[in-house]
Each structure stands twice: as C-alpha cells, then as structure tokens.
Amino acid sequence: MLSLQHISKHYQVGGNKNFVINDISLDVDEGEFVSIMGPSGSGKSTLLNIIGMLDEPTDGYHYFVNEAVHQLKERQRSALYKQYIGFVFQAYHLIDELTVYENIETPLIYQDVKGSERKAMVADMLDRFQIVGKKDLFPAQLSGGQQQLVGIARALIAKPKLLLADEPTGNLNSKQGEEIMELFRKLNKEDGVTIIQVTHSEKNAEYGTRIINLLDGRVESSKKF
Amino acid sequence: MIKNYFKIGWRNMMKNKFFSFINIFGLSVGLACCMLIALYLNYETSHDSQHKNAPNIYQVVTAFIQNGNKRMKMPNTPAPMAGALKREFPEVIETARLLKLFIEDKTIIQFNPANGERKSFLEEKGYLADASFFKIFTYNFAEGDAANALANPRTIVISQKLADKLFGTQPALNKVIHVNSNTNGEQDYTVTGVFKEGKTPSHVDANFFLSVNGGNMEGFIKRQANDFASNNMFYTYLLLKPGTNAAKLQVKLPAFMDKYASKDLKNMGFQKEQSLISLRDIHLSSEVESNVTPPASKTYLYVLFSIAIFTLIIACINFMNLSTARSSKRSSEVGVRKVLGAEKSTLIKQFLGESILMTLIAFIFAIVITLILLPLFNQLSGRVITLSVSKDLMLFFEFLVMALITGVLAGSYPAFYLSSFNPVKVLKGKLTNSLAVVAVRKGLVVFQFIISVVLIVASVVIARQMNYMRTADLGFAKDQQIVVPLRTTAAKSAYAALKAELQENSGVISIGGSAYYPGIFNPSDNLIYKEGQTTAEGKRTRLNYVDDNFLQTLNIQPLAGRLFSPDFHSDTTNGIIINEKAAKEFGFSSAKDAVNKKLFNKFQDNTNTFTIVGVVKDFHYEDLHLPVTPYGFMLNTAGFNYMVIHAKPGNIASMLKTIEISWKKYDQNDPFDYSFLDEDFDKNYQADTRLAGIVGYFTVVAILISCLGLFGLAAFSAEQRTKEIGVRKVLGASVKTIVSLLSVDFLKLIIASIIIASLLAWWLMNKWLQEFAYRKDIDWTIFAYTATIAVFIGLITIGSQALKAALANPVKSLRSE
Ligand SMILES: Nc1ncnc2c1ncn2[C@@H]1O[C@H](COP(=O)(O)OP(=O)(O)O)[C@@H](O)[C@H]1O
Ligand SMILES: [Mg+2]
C-alpha cells in the first residue's frame, strides 16, 4: 500500500542539520496493523505525519497506492489524502463549535458528498459507535473516551483505506484505551482498514501485526507477528 | 456548504460576544456613515435629471475680462442675448430667460377671497421666466397647461406648496393674487399653473414663476433691448437640436459677440467671453460662480466621501486586528479542518463567510441607524433627502452590495492569514503570532489613530476659525442691529415718519436707511477711476446708497474728511464716501489726500463725476472668506430697501414690539418683518457651520470606533498575559508596574500616530484655511490640545483593561492555566 524509501527529515538548527527522521525505509501492505513505538522525541509523530502527507520529508521517495507522492503537486496530494487517509489524534482535536454530528460530517463536506448521502452516512456511523444519543452535544459535554470515539468515527466516515493514529489512547484511562484498541482490531480484521498507530503502551502495541521501534529518527527494530 | 459556514460563523460570534459586539457595532456605524453619505452624493448628482430634454439643455456662461484679467465665470447674461441666439443659430431650437427676484428679498403674496379673510405671505424663491421656460424644462403641472402657462402678461405659476398655503383645497387655477416684489413692483397676477415639486432636486429651486411681462422689469428689458454689454442679470438657457455638438456652437460665440456687443463693450471698458455649460453639470461645477443656487461644494463632497470611507476602514481594521489577534484560538480548528481534508481555498471561503455574516448583521443595524439619523443628517447638511424601504429598493440593493464588499475587505486579510496555518505546527501546540502579523496589526492601529487624530485636529481648527469669524472685529457694530426690510412703495415712503418716531424711543441709539447692508449681496458696482485716468484703469467698486445716518448707525469710523450730513446739500448730488482700500486702489497717497478729489464713472455715453467727502476705515461688507475691496457710499434721501435700527442692549422683544406698533401705524398693508444683522452676516458661514457640524459628529464616531478596537485589543492582550501577570504579582510586582507594562506598547503606538497625524493635519487644514481671506492660523497649541485629548482617551481605553488585569487575584489566574 505504501512504501517509504530513504526518507529523511531535518531541521536547520544554527548551522547544524538536526535529523528528526534519518534515512528510514519502510513498506506497509494493505491490511496490516502497524504500531510505532519509541521514546519521546524519537520522531514517531513526524514519521506518521509524513506518511499522512501532512508533513514533507527533506529527502527520499514516498509511494502511496502506486503514486509517487514526492512528485505530486499540493492539489493532487490533497486529493489522494482525502480519498484514502483518516487521522486520529491523542488530543482528539474535535472542533469545539461543532456538535458531535457536525464533527463527524465535516470530512464529507470537504469531499463534496451530497447532503442526503451525508445524512445517511453519519447516521450509520453514529449507530455503529452507539453515540446516536449524543449527536447534538458539543465536545465539551463529552468525556475523553467519548470524544476519542467521535474522533475515530470522524476519521472513518469517509471510508479511508489507511487510518493513522497518533497516541490515540494517550489521554484515556486503561479501560477506555482497551475499548479503542478493540475497535481498531475489529476495523482491521473485519473492514480491512490498514492502521498505523503510535503508542507508548506495550500492551496496546501488541494489538498490531507489526511493531516498529524508533530511536533518534532511525528504525531500531521491527518485528512482525 | 454556505449554510455550514454561516452556522459556524454564528456560533463563533455567539461564543465571543464581546468581540462580536465591537465588530458589529463598528461595522454598523461605519456602514451607516457610508449609507448616509452615499445618499447625499446620490442626491447631489441627481440634480436636474428629471428634465426630459436634459442632455440638450445648456446655460450660457460669461467670463468677464478686464485689462486682460479674466474673472470667474458667471452664468449672467443680458436680456436680449436669448432672443439673438435663437435668431442667429438654427441649432438653437428654443431659449428661455430666468431672472431671480433679489436673493435677500422676500416677495409679498396676497390673496383676497370674495368671502373670507385676506391671506398675506412673505415668500422666497421667486423668479421671472419666459413662457418658453416650461417648454425647455419638464415640470409636472397639477393644474394648468405648462406650454402656455406664462404666455400672457401678469400670469404666475406657483408650487403646490404655495397653492396649498393660499387656497387650501380650492383649485388655484385662474385665481387672482397680488404680488409685490422689490425687483418687479406691485401687480395683480392670474394663476395659470401649479407644479408639483418632485423628489429630484433642480438647480432652480423655484417657489413661483412670474411672467416676464406685466411688471416693472418689462420696461427695463425693453429699454435694454439692444444692450449686450451691461444688465448681466439674466440666466439664459438654450435647448439645442438633438445631436448638436455644444462645443461646435461655442466656437461660434465670439463672432456672435463681435457682431452684437463689441461697440457697447468698448464703451464699458471690458470684454466678455461666452461659453456653454450642460444642464446636468451646473450643480456639480465649481467653475461657474453664483449660479441660480449654489453648486455642490467640491471640498464638502470630498470631505464627506473621505470621512465615509475612513470610518468604514476603521471598522474594518477592528475586524482584522481582533481576528488576527485571536487567531491562536482559531488555529487548531484550522489545523483539524486541514487534516479532515479542507483545502486552503475552502477555509478562506469559510472565514470570508464569517466576516460576511457579520457585515450582513451590521448591514441591518446600519439601515436602522441610517433611517433614524437621516433627519439629523438632513439638518446638518441642509438637504431634504428621503429614503423609504419600498421606494428605494435599488438603493438598498446597492447598500447590500456595499456591505458585501466591506465583508470581503474586512475578512480577506484574516482569512488568508488564518487559512495559511500549517496543521502539523498548530496541532502540536499553542501558536504564537508571527512577528509579521504583529507588525501589521500595530501598523493598522497607528493608521486608525492617525485618522482619529487628524479628525480631532480638523475639528479644533474649524471650531477656532468659526469662533474667530463670529467674534472678529468687522469694522462696524454688528450686534443689536435690527434690520427692517422696506419692500413696498408704501413701506419705503413710510421710512421718514417711522425713523422720526422711533428715534424718539430711549431704547434706540440710531436709525439709518440703505440699499444694502453688510453680509448680504451687494449687487451694485461700477468701474470708478480718478482724475487723469481712463475707464480702462477703473477699479470695480461696490456702491451702496444710504441716508445721512446710516454710517453712524453702523458705527463705521471716519478716517479723513467727514461723514454725510444734512448740512451739506451737495452731498446728495455727487458726494461719495469711500473706504481706505478704495483710496489706496485709486492711487491716492493717503486717506487725507483723497478728500475733496474727484472720481469718475462712465456708463454708456455718460460720464458721472463724484467728489470724495470722506474716507472711512475698512470694514467687512462681505464675510471673512473674502478680502475687503473698494467700496463707496452715496447719499440718498428716499427709496431705501432697509431700515437699520441700532438698539441699546436690553429687552429686544419689547423693542421689536415697539417697532411693529409704529410700523402698523404708517403701513397698514404690509406685514412687519425683521432680521438681526449679526445673524444675517453669519448666514454666509452656513457651509462652514455645516462642515464643522459634520466633521465634529464624525470625529466622535471615528474616535468611538477606534477606541472600541483598541479596547478589544487591550482586553485581549491582558487576557493572553494573565499567567505572566500572575507570576509577576507573586514575585512582588506592584499594580502600577503591571499597568504600565501592559499600557506602554499601546501608548507608543498612539504617540507615533499623533506625530504622523499632526503633520498630515497641519498640511490639510492649512489648505482649508486658504479659503478664508482672514483666518486664525494653526499654531502649536492645537497640537498640544489634540495630543492631550488623544493620549487621555487612549490611556482610559487601555488603562482600564490593564488595571483590571493587574488587580486580578494571581492565585486564581495561575490555577486556571
Ligand atoms: N519545527 C521544528 N524545529 C526543530 N525541531 C523540531 C521541529 N518540530 C519537531 N522537532 C523535533 O523533532 C523531534 C521529533 O519530534 P516528534 O516527531 O514529535 O517526536 P515524538 O512524536 O517521537 O515524540 C523532536 O526532538 C523535536 O524537538
Ligand atoms: Mg509525538
């Protein structure tokens, strides 16, 4: 599904190049569930953002569903991104001014999905996550676990092939975290969504089919189950 | 999608009520200013558009040339001009003459119904017009037939308003009314038409039109039938054949003047150059002096236009600044939306949607404000502008477009700024404003304050000039002077008896009679020269005809020789008293030198000789816009237009009562009317008073909106620094140091604005002051005042917020972070 070849990213600090990602090569197949681990500052988020095309590497080749991302223009990249990728954050990043319903609906609006169709899709999603009763509440009125559920529902609404999650359980207690992980596993198994998550928890990492350890911007180890 | 934008916009607005209030209030007021001024500009530019023939109507304009010096163009032409032009040029289909009854005068109009009380009114805005006038111009006749209305002698066409006043609900047509004017004498006229005053203004603001024939002017016009040089008192209008090129016709006018006027002009010692001005240009042209009604003042239009634009800009700046200052609050939303697939252009549209929503709400308030303030604005600007939601739909649509444009302008900068955030960066943490955007914000605050400070300086300078003009020594006593117009033959002949009786009154200092008095139009003038010179060296000298007590009544001071006196009989035949300026211009070495010398004036083939009996100190017979020019008084014994009564300070009301009782004794027929000389004189400052009023009001508005913006910024900055302030307080900082910490940045901006604005205002207002021949020049005290006012206002605005932040409990603010 995606292939990174000799990807590097550095920041210019003073006269020195500070490498955050240092020559990483990585292939992820469709249907995989990858967990990325590593100490704080090792470049996990940066790597995830590069995969998600939110950030650009300073070097290397990036292929996604057989497209050479590093050669694409902003618009094309954005189109590709919209079609295939969903994002989940540690801090949920729901839009405070929008209701649960509207938060979930937003990606569809940006994809120019018709109103009636949107309604059906959002209703379906609310139903699936069992949050129909909360659809008119605002994020501030929800608990952290509920907010993250909405965040995931929103990431999934446009039926992405690839779900990227940056410490999705970082702000949740262990029970809530477990529920989210179960959900991920189900998504991966039953719906065939490819998932790449960043996590600090060994336990959560083990939900994945592969664990990659980063250290100082390099892949320290990678093992498949 | 649009619905979505508006929904989010609305929620954001409701969530930040304070900022929304500042923005909507500012934009409402800014838009209302623009609407009022747009209405005004619309009114001013619509003059005479109602006439069907408008594109083919022209007014004949004259430039008088003497000794090679061209004076301002005037729309005044002699009586035979119209007829000759029609005869001479086939492209001139129709011509009409219009003569204004003396401007400062009122006409007595009386109606004596067979059964009922006699009605008698003093009416203004009367004209004599040729019958062809209504063939050229479109008037909506409620009664009578426009085409023939003024064909017969002693016929009158009146406005609906006057008809209502005279006849109530009765038809006006064919009623006979008595008309008595200084210009045209006293006759009976038959009403042959009533016209409705439309909504569209005309440069001819007539209340009634008299036929040219049948009054005193008929004889005068007949006598002048071949005089193309003098009697330049008629407005001549031409209706050209459709498709005629007016410029080509204008080229033929010098030859025409050669043929008809060259001989007379040579005798008179000046030349005339004729040109044409298109009807629709008359009201907007500043090239032609003293037209039927004063043209729109260009300065005034520019000032209004700039004020409208600047108020709106100030409001837009508030919106921009508050939006970008609060951008950190919106940045994560931008980041998330981008992650969810929003493109930059989509986000730009979203933010523009919000600003447009805000301006649309402001638009509704602005319309309400406009409707409420229109009467006040009319009073300020001296216009009768109307606005109704049903009749002016097109105008409202234009206002809506204006509001939308404002929304886009105000929203574009924040929209581009906010939508350009990088999602990776903003989602990582709080975003601090970039230096560039802070610099822009500071620049915009300075710009706002420059506008406000310029307006403050302008207000102060205008107020000082107005005060100077009202209190300046005019060279005569202008207070306690009651002017009683003597309009009719009966009133004029009653003058001597009236004067004799009133002079006995202990409240009266002195009484004088005259043809004109200072402050009103003084139409009489002659080219006068001294012995040894010719008419070509003559100086244009205004002349007034007075009795032997007028100069004493006005307290005009003799410098050399003497004032008129009944002891010198020769005074009435050829005595003249001139002002200092005249003595100088005629070439006398001193005032003393001028006394008993001879002066001459050539009129047609006669030469008149005068002897100077005295020279008086210069006095302002015209307002302070104009320099003092040569002036002469001649002695008359009767036939005065005005009786001027200098009363002792005290009970003016009872004095007026006394005068009225005497008046009734000697003239039972005419209504008693009076005015105060000082008020009449100050009427010349009407345009300036209006300017002062408008600038004053808008200054307050501009300051208010700017301060609201500043207040918002200060509040925001204090809010942002809550934690810092808390820490500083815990570390022992006093309230004073914290207030100054928070205020000093803003104060620097205000001071920078004051410096730039002072320079700009000094240059601008100096230009404005050049319009006055006598002025109170700008000095440093004005800037001292202004700076004090601006710093004071700024300090209150910012200081209040800083103080609030400084007094907050640090424990609370630290915990909440
Ligand atoms: N804009 C930037 N400038 C300089 N260094 C940066 C910037 N953004 C991130 N970094 C550095 O990149 C490194 C990796 O960051 P990140 O990918 O967020 O790590 P992780 O998610 O593993 O904790 C960190 O050391 C951080 O300091
Ligand atoms: Mg991270």
Side-chain angles (χ1 to χ4, degrees), chain A residues 49 54-55 75 78 81-82 87 89 93 95-99 102 105-107 109-110 112 138 154, chain B residues 1 4 7-8 11-12 15 333 336-343 346-347 350 422-424 427-428:
Chain A
N49 289 339
L54 294 179
D55 215 346
R75 266 201 110 74
S78 169
Y81 167 89
K82 274 203 245 181
F87 244 101
F89 303 94
H93 287 320
I95 298 174
D96 291 339
E97 282 73 32
L98 299 185
T99 61
E102 289 159 352
E105 184 190 27
T106 306
I109 292 175
Y110 291 133
D112 296 327
F138 286 92
R154 186 179 65 180
Chain B
M1 194 96 101
N4 195 273
K7 190 163 65 192
I8 298 163
R11 285 188 195 150
N12 259 309
K15 201 170 147 194
E333 182 194 330
V336 174
R337 285 182 181 277
K338 282 196 169 171
V339 169
L340 298 180
E343 283 166 38
T346 326
L347 289 171
Q350 181 193 330
N422 178 331
V424 177
L427 290 181
K428 214 178 270 170

Side-chain angles (χ1 to χ4, degrees), chain A residues 44-45 166-167 198:
Chain A
K44 306 182 295 290
S45 296
D166 195 346
E167 302 187 39
V198 168

Side-chain angles (χ1 to χ4, degrees), chain A residues 11 13 18 20 39-47 167, chain B residues 425 428:
Chain A
Y11 291 103
V13 180
N18 183 3
V20 178
S40 193
S42 56
K44 306 182 295 290
S45 296
T46 309
L47 182 63
E167 302 187 39
Chain B
K425 276 188 196 150
K428 214 178 270 170

Side-chain angles (χ1 to χ4, degrees), chain A:
Chain A
M1 161 162 255
L2 75 93
S3 169
L4 304 181
Q5 289 166 16
H6 305 290
I7 290 285
S8 290
K9 179 160 181 83
H10 63 256
Y11 291 103
Q12 206 77 35
V13 180
N16 299 336
K17 282 179 181 174
N18 183 3
F19 279 88
V20 178
I21 301 291
N22 201 341
D23 192 23
I24 287 184
S25 295
L26 177 69
D27 287 277
V28 178
D29 294 327
E30 196 158 348
E32 272 196 277
F33 185 166
V34 181
S35 298
I36 301 174
M37 298 191 72
S40 193
S42 56
K44 306 182 295 290
S45 296
T46 309
L47 182 63
L48 204 68
N49 289 339
I50 288 173
I51 293 171
M53 297 178 222
L54 294 179
D55 215 346
E56 279 181 72
T58 36
D59 255 316
Y61 307 94
H62 179 187
Y63 300 91
F64 184 73
V65 290
N66 300 323
E67 298 263 9
V69 177
H70 54 271
Q71 289 173 346
L72 294 183
K73 297 210 179 71
E74 177 75 36
R75 266 201 110 74
Q76 299 165 309
R77 219 179 311 168
S78 169
L80 198 63
Y81 167 89
K82 274 203 245 181
Q83 196 184 344
Y84 290 101
I85 297 177
F87 244 101
V88 176
F89 303 94
Q90 175 178 3
Y92 330 128
H93 287 320
L94 300 180
I95 298 174
D96 291 339
E97 282 73 32
L98 299 185
T99 61
V100 166
Y101 182 97
E102 289 159 352
N103 261 292
I104 298 175
E105 184 190 27
T106 306
L108 298 178
I109 292 175
Y110 291 133
Q111 295 190 20
D112 296 327
V113 178
K114 275 205 209 78
S116 54
E117 211 172 318
R118 283 206 307 260
K119 230 176 219 167
M121 289 168 83
V122 177
D124 191 42
M125 191 59 75
L126 287 167
D127 197 32
R128 186 165 150 202
F129 282 66
Q130 293 166 9
I131 45 175
V132 178
K134 309 216 158 37
K135 74 175 171 48
D136 292 324
L137 297 183
F138 286 92
Q141 298 165 302
L142 300 177
S143 74
Q146 288 166 335
Q147 287 192 47
Q148 192 59 297
L149 223 49
V150 176
I152 295 166
R154 186 179 65 180
L156 293 173
I157 188 73
K159 305 205 173 5
K161 292 274 180 309
L162 176 63
L163 183 68
L164 301 174
D166 195 346
E167 302 187 39
T169 59
N171 284 4
L172 303 178
N173 62 36
S174 56
K175 186 171 167 286
Q176 286 171 329
E178 222 166 282
E179 276 171 26
I180 299 288
M181 282 301 116
E182 285 299 336
L183 183 65
F184 274 18
R185 174 182 278 166
K186 206 169 135 216
L187 279 171
N188 180 249
K189 288 258 161 63
E190 293 174 13
D191 302 314
V193 178
T194 312
I195 297 176
I196 304 176
Q197 68 164 347
V198 168
T199 180
H200 279 295
S201 146
E202 293 267 352
K203 195 167 148 250
N204 287 349
E206 279 162 6
Y207 281 85
T209 54
R210 169 152 59 135
I211 295 178
I212 295 171
N213 266 298
L214 287 193
L215 187 64
D216 292 339
R218 292 172 193 276
V219 178
E220 195 203 30
S221 70
S222 168
K223 60 178 180 221
K224 278 194 183 177
F225 300 103

